Each structure stands twice: as structure tokens, then as C-alpha cells.
Amino acid sequence: MKALDKKVAIITGSGSGIGKAAALLFAKEGATVIVSDIQEENGRAVAEEIKSNGGNAIFFRADTSQPADNEALVKAAIDNFGKLDIAVNNAGIGGPMGLTGEYPIDGWQKVIEVNLSGVFYGMHYQLPAMEKNGGGVIVNIASILGMVGTRFSPAYVAAKHGVVGLTKATALEYAPKNIRVNSIGPGYIMTPLLTTNLNQEMLKMVEALHPIGRLGEAEEVAELILWLSSSKSSFVTGSYYPVDGGYLAQ
Ligand code: NAP
């Protein structure tokens, strides 16, 4: 018996990085995966990779900052597979960097819309579907920057702190309805989000912030997402779990 046998899971932003690693692992563990991303070509490729490995997946394009896209994504799970068991709200962007006093207003709005409102919109449609199904599990991808600050990314830090709080509030509401909701806080992970935003010198600097002495891999985050999504974590809800090479222990 695999950890996610017979489970139907939505993973947003799963055309790349952490979401992609989670999609591949979920499929390996028996889940049917709705691979969703704003990047159609990447998302389709992940769904194809799962199918060519013998797994079950479809791609559905959704921009998580649009409420209607989130509604359509949940509908796609129900229409194709009859239910929704697991949702991983992972889609996110880095956004611009700059001092709060100089930060572009449109950059602030975009980061908050994708990284915070996107998680709310997702859960807003996922929760009733799960309730109808008798329960479910949601994992929201926050960040170490949902617990502590950093300079020059005020919108990202605010959005990720928001995800941690929103996760707790939602978990309290839905614990009696058999829906568990947790967030996780990756340290700096080697994905396109990081490598397109930071140059080699900056990557060396952030690497040094991790006591374990290196950056994380997407697969290491996916293992925690899997555990939180499986029945092995059946008494865990409303929690925040770092996966950060010791970053937050300092
Ligand atoms: P990634 O490799 O860039 O993957 C994220 C995927 O989500 C990309 O395909 C991206 O497309 C897509 N996306 C962006 N905006 C979207 C939207 N509005 N709707 C649907 N899809 C959208 O990034 P990652 O590093 O795996 O990040 C995944 C999550 O982990 C994010 O929430 C991020 O904040 C969080 N996280 C990452 C790190 C890290 O160091 N990598 C650390 C802590 C937390 P585009 O390429 O068009 O943006």
C-alpha cells in the first residue's frame, strides 16, 4: 500500500521547482495528480512525465491570483476524478527587491495577490469540496520568511507571514470537519525561483546562512509535503514546519 493510494491531489505551481518535485513524488506514492501552473508548457511536461512513469495525472492551467481559476481548478478535480482529497497551495513568486520606502506599489500588489491571496482563493474553493468528501488535507507553502524577516523583500515577507497566519485560522475552523491544514517553511531551495532572482555571489551568501552548509533541494521539501499530506500526520493541524537546514534555529 502506497502512502497516497486512491487520493486525488491538486498541486499549484507544479510545473517547476518544489511543486514539480511534489507532483512526481505524489504520483509515485499512488496519488492522481492535477498538475497546475500558469506556465502551460512546463505543467504539461510534468503531467506527461508522471504518465510515462505509469502514474495518473492531468494538467490544468490556472493563475492562482484569479479566484475564477481556482474555482475551475477544483471543478476539474471533481469533474475528472469525482473528489478532492489533497491540495498543495505552492504557486509563488519572488517579486521585486528593494527598500520598503522605494518598493514599487504594483510589485507589492502582485506579490500579495499571488503569494497570499492566491492561497486564500485556493482554500476558499478547496475546502467546500473536501467537506463534501468527508475530509481532506491542505498544505500551504510558506517560507522561513513566514517566520522571520529579511531586507529588501517586504512584500514576500509579509505575504509568507500571512500564509502562516491564514493556515492557523483555517485549521481551527476546519479541524472539526476532518480537514487538516498546515504550512511549511522551506529555507533557500535550488529552484528556478531562486536561480533567476539571485546571482552567483548572492547564492553563496544565502548558502552561508544555512548551518547545514548548503542550499536545499526541491525533493527534500517534497518529502515533508508528502508526510503532511498522508495519514502518517493524522494528528497534525494548524502547524508550521520548517525544512531549512537549520536556518531558523539560529
Ligand atoms: P518555481 O520553481 O518558480 O516554481 C513555481 C511555479 O509556480 C512556476 O512555474 C511559476 O511560474 C508558477 N507560478 C507563478 N505564479 C503563479 C500563479 N499566479 N499561478 C500559478 N502558477 C504560478 O518556484 P519554487 O522555488 O518551486 O517555489 C514554490 C513555492 O515555494 C513558492 O510559494 C515559493 O515562495 C516557496 N519557497 C521557495 C523557496 C526557494 O528558495 N526556492 C524558499 C521558500 C519558499 P513562473 O515561472 O511564471 O513564475
Side-chain angles (χ1 to χ4, degrees):
M1 179 93 176
K2 293 175 178 169
L4 301 182
D5 263 345
K6 299 193 173 67
K7 300 294 184 192
V8 177
I10 285 173
I11 307 179
T12 68
S14 50
S16 172
I18 293 168
K20 175 180 176 180
L24 296 173
L25 183 60
F26 273 34
K28 212 171 111 193
E29 288 297 336
T32 294
V33 184
I34 296 109
V35 175
S36 185
D37 206 287
I38 201 167
Q39 297 291 346
E40 191 149 354
E41 202 175 312
N42 292 346
R44 282 196 191 285
V46 173
E48 284 311 314
E49 186 173 338
I50 289 173
K51 285 192 275 185
S52 66
N53 291 339
N56 200 10
I58 58 167
F59 171 74
F60 191 88
R61 187 194 177 278
D63 173 350
T64 57
S65 69
Q66 302 301 316
D69 282 20
N70 287 280
E71 186 175 20
L73 176 56
V74 171
K75 191 171 180 302
I78 308 297
D79 288 352
N80 284 281
F81 307 111
K83 61 171 185 163
L84 176 64
D85 298 296
I86 300 166
V88 181
N89 293 308
N90 163 78
I93 55 173
M97 293 184 77
L99 287 166
T100 302
E102 297 162 11
Y103 203 80
I105 299 287
D106 60 348
W108 166 269
Q109 288 167 338
K110 173 89 179 155
V111 172
I112 295 294
E113 266 303 287
V114 176
N115 290 8
L116 177 55
S117 300
V119 174
F120 168 75
Y121 300 146
M123 291 201 295
H124 178 74
Y125 294 105
Q126 293 152 7
L127 288 160
M130 289 178 176
E131 214 179 328
K132 219 176 254 179
N133 190 34
V137 190
I138 295 178
V139 181
N140 294 324
I141 309 307
S143 166
I144 46 171
L145 301 178
M147 279 290 134
V148 295
T150 191
R151 295 168 188 82
F152 316 127
S153 288
Y156 190 88
V157 171
K160 294 300 188 181
H161 275 69
V163 169
V164 174
L166 174 61
T167 299
K168 291 180 189 170
T170 309
L172 295 178
E173 294 167 356
Y174 285 84
K177 300 173 194 285
N178 195 32
I179 300 173
R180 299 188 296 109
V181 191
N182 292 289
S183 64
I184 75 169
Y188 288 83
I189 310 297
M190 276 304 261
T191 69
L193 182 141
L194 200 64
T195 49
T196 53
N197 281 307
L198 304 183
N199 60 32
Q200 278 306 318
E201 193 187 338
M202 289 160 100
L203 283 173
K204 278 279 160 221
M205 268 167 53
V206 292
E207 192 177 281
L209 299 174
H210 298 73
I212 230 166
R214 62 173 175 84
L215 299 174
E217 299 292 336
E219 290 73 17
E220 295 175 302
V221 181
E223 290 290 346
L224 179 58
I225 301 174
L226 170 65
W227 182 74
L228 283 170
S229 301
S230 79
S231 60
K232 292 195 174 165
S233 61
S234 51
F235 199 52
V236 179
T237 197
S239 289
Y240 165 86
Y241 278 77
V243 46
D244 68 351
Y247 186 107
L248 289 178
Q250 301 167 100

